[in-house]
Amino acid sequence: DAVTPPYVAQIGDTPYATLAAAIEAAASGDTIQLLPGTISEKVAPWSADPTHAGEKSITIVGADNFSTKMTGGLYLGRDDSGCREHKVTIKGIAFEGKGILVAGIKDVVIEGNKFTNINDYVSTSGSANKNAISVIGKNINATVTDNVIENVADCGIHLRDVKAVTVKNNTVIDAQDSSIIVNKSKDATGVTAVITNNTLTNWGFKGVGRAIRSTADSSFTATGNVMSSTQIPEAIVKATGVSVVDVSGNYWNGIDPTSASSGEEGYFESDSSVDVVAAIKNYYTDAEKTNLVDVGAAQVGEKKYATLAGAIDAAEGQTVTLLKDVELTEALTIPEGMTVTLDLNGNTISGVSSASAATAVIVNEGNLTIKDSGTGGKITTEAKNPDTAISPTYANNVINNKGT
């Protein structure tokens, strides 16, 4: 016979009136199938037991087409900074008002759920804040994929004290704090984070928050993400404490992520040891991810630089190769005592000045050689306020050569 209310879940052919009862009855490794309808109970079967005796590996699956709704939240485990050798999988459930907290469970999979209007704590202690998805513990492995989160009072996805993380194909819309946060425990080493192909829209309504924040110390990969927000209170992506960083192939709110330094208006922020241009590599100019653009205005040897001036500063006795057309609003200065070759490489340096004074695109006080290994490379100037008097008192030059 078909299972009907007042039952909310079943294991095999056995129905249960509450999800907590089903979890208690489940053997390790069982799958609990939820039934269509609304589960309003607060489900936290293990949170009060410091011995962890009732904890086990379980899978909880919602009814088809998100026809199972949970409004009381789901808290599995106990937040006491430990980690037990179990696996918990949660999938296909619609959460409203309260989200998920998994604490102290070694392996966690949260897949294909929906979260709407998350505005209240899951745990009585409030340790997980008002997040849609929280995973807490020590050296936890967490996989969070294909979830849709919309309108959350704190973070969309917050993974704390983790060891290995995969966050993939999620959609997070309107997070008051950050969209995704990954934090390692203080004494953990070898922590990895892979955050790919997520769509993150609007974060930081509290005046703080980022699309992605990570302290993984072994490697940090954030690729293929589409990050768009009406406000950017801090760096769009911040990764610290890690030397292996790949943040290529993302959409950064329609901007060149190398066009501002760390902490300014927020693009990409990391440790000083991280080569920002090498980490970014390229980015999409459109949210549909159809136009991929390499970063770097110029190159010296094998190293790319975000700005032509930065490349010149590092190029004593070497060749600076221009990688794309560059527009300068301030003069590019070759300082006294420097020897450098500038290869236009078929590109254009355009100087634009609004000053009512003498200007130059390049001021050479050192030893400068200009060549073009490509075709059609050139240097041009545009004066917004030229001196058009019959006897002008200043000029707008392409090169002001004070050296050789």
Side-chain angles (χ1 to χ4, degrees), residues 39 135 146 154 198 225 228 233 246 300 338 392:
I39 300 174
V135 178
D146 299 296
D154 284 315
N198 301 284
N225 301 290
S228 310
D246 181 359
V300 180
M338 171 174 275

Side-chain angles (χ1 to χ4, degrees), residues 316-367:
E316 167 60 38
Q318 301 181 74
T319 296
V320 174
T321 302
L322 203 61
L323 300 177
K324 61 183 179 182
D325 294 345
V326 172
E327 182 178 291
L328 301 177
T329 56
E330 296 181 355
L332 178 69
T333 299
I334 312 300
E336 184 178 358
M338 171 174 275
T339 298
V340 66
T341 297
L342 176 58
D343 182 0
L344 298 176
N345 192 31
N347 297 292
T348 298
I349 299 175
S350 304
V352 179
S353 174
S354 299
S356 299
T359 61
V361 180
I362 298 176
V363 176
N364 177 40
E365 298 175 350
N367 187 347

